[in-house]
């Protein structure tokens, strides 16, 4: 069975190895007997909404985000409809910020967001949120990643989790990311999926259940990934 992975603007939005999320998802999809097909989208006219099974929107610099905004604006209504209908989406850093109402840069200028979710981001010059981060979650245990952002995101939506080490959405809250239906927005680069195999399986199981695809997770040996995650947590916390 084909599994169509859409990587949005990989030449512009690919900070800190966000492409690794695509590699990891493809790797485990093959292990489960699926045939992953990766679509690298440089123009939104290339999207076949009837085939899309997963979407990654990665992070980029302010300049690159500005370049991509005009393209994403062309599909904001359709993308919102698909997200409301359960499209699995991983949005990282700039990709996460895109989903909100607006991004206000350090000069006070507002860049309109896609307004898919009710939040906003404001760039500040007080303290750059930078470094390894650990997030306590109910669904995925301790999630690890690397953050580097000056924008503070504010919302009342369900977060991915609560930060136990490092930085989250902003300097005043311990919340990190957002979870809305089958969408995960986060500031965690790293990339996220190879470091946190439970999130990878979450996205794959969404596809397999939707398509009544018979699968057995016992065929996956995640011990190496899990040991690496725990080792990384131990190094960060010096335990």
């Amino acid at each position: 069975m084909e599994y169509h992975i859409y990587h949005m603007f990989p030449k512009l939005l690919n900070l800190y190895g966000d492409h690794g999320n695509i590699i990891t998802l493809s790797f485990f999809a093959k292990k489960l007997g699926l045939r992953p097909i990766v679509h690298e989208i440089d123009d939104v006219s290339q999207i076949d909404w009837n085939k899309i099974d997963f979407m990654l929107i990665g992070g980029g610099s302010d300049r690159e985000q500005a370049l991509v905004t005009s393209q994403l604006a062309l599909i904001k209504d359709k993308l919102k409809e698909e997200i409301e209908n359960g499209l699995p989406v991983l949005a990282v850093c700039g990709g996460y910020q895109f989903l909100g109402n607006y991004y206000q840069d350090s000069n006070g200028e507002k860049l309109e967001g896609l307004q898919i979710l009710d939040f906003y981001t404001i760039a500040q010059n007080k303290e750059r949120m930078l470094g390894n981060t650990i997030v306590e979650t109910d669904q995925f245990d301790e999630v690890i990643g690397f953050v580097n952002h000056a924008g503070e995101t504010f919302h009342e939506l369900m977060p991915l989790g609560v930060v136990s080490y490092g930085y989250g959405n902003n300097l005043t809250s311990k919340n990190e990311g957002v979870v809305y239906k089958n969408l995960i927005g986060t500031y965690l680069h790293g990339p996220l999926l190879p470091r946190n195999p439970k999130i990878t399986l979450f996205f794959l199981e969404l596809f397999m259940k939707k398509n009544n695809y018979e699968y057995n997770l016992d065929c996956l040996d995640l011990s190496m990934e899990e040991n690496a995650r725990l080792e990384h947590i131990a190094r960060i916390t010096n335990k």
Side-chain angles (χ1 to χ4, degrees), residues 59-211:
S61 68
D62 287 356
R63 174 186 171 277
E64 290 158 338
Q65 287 183 222
L67 291 173
V68 169
T69 296
S70 59
Q71 276 281 306
L72 289 176
L74 297 174
I75 60 167
K76 72 175 189 178
D77 291 339
K78 181 60 178 175
L79 180 56
K80 182 173 184 177
E81 176 188 331
E82 293 295 325
I83 289 171
E84 290 293 338
N85 290 332
L87 175 66
V89 176
L90 175 60
V92 182
C93 198
Y96 168 30
Q97 295 170 348
F98 278 131
L99 303 174
N101 297 323
Y102 64 86
Y103 173 86
Q104 181 176 305
D105 68 20
S106 56
N107 296 319
E109 295 186 14
K110 286 185 179 179
L111 189 66
E112 186 174 326
L114 299 180
Q115 301 171 18
I116 291 175
L117 298 177
D118 187 17
F119 66 76
Y120 60 94
T121 301
I122 298 178
Q124 46 77 35
N125 295 313
K126 293 177 291 185
E127 177 183 352
R128 191 161 189 88
M129 289 164 271
L130 172 66
N132 291 310
T133 291
I134 302 173
V135 181
E136 305 283 346
T137 77
D138 292 333
Q139 192 171 358
F140 309 114
D141 297 332
E142 289 178 302
V143 172
I144 60 174
F146 174 83
V147 303
N148 184 3
H149 61 106
E152 292 188 281
T153 295
F154 299 91
H155 65 70
E156 300 296 327
L157 302 167
M158 178 185 294
L160 173 61
V162 177
V163 172
S164 61
Y165 184 97
Y167 296 97
N169 286 331
N170 53 62
L171 291 171
T172 54
S173 165
K174 287 292 185 182
N175 288 340
E176 203 291 317
V178 66
V179 176
Y180 181 77
K181 297 196 173 183
N182 294 327
L183 176 150
I184 294 177
T186 180
Y187 276 109
L188 297 176
H189 294 275
L192 181 70
L193 296 186
R195 286 179 149 187
N196 301 281
K198 285 191 175 181
I199 301 180
T200 307
L201 295 183
F202 164 74
F203 283 123
L204 287 169
E205 285 198 276
L206 286 174
F207 172 80
M208 293 185 290
K209 289 177 179 176
K210 177 184 176 182
N211 291 280

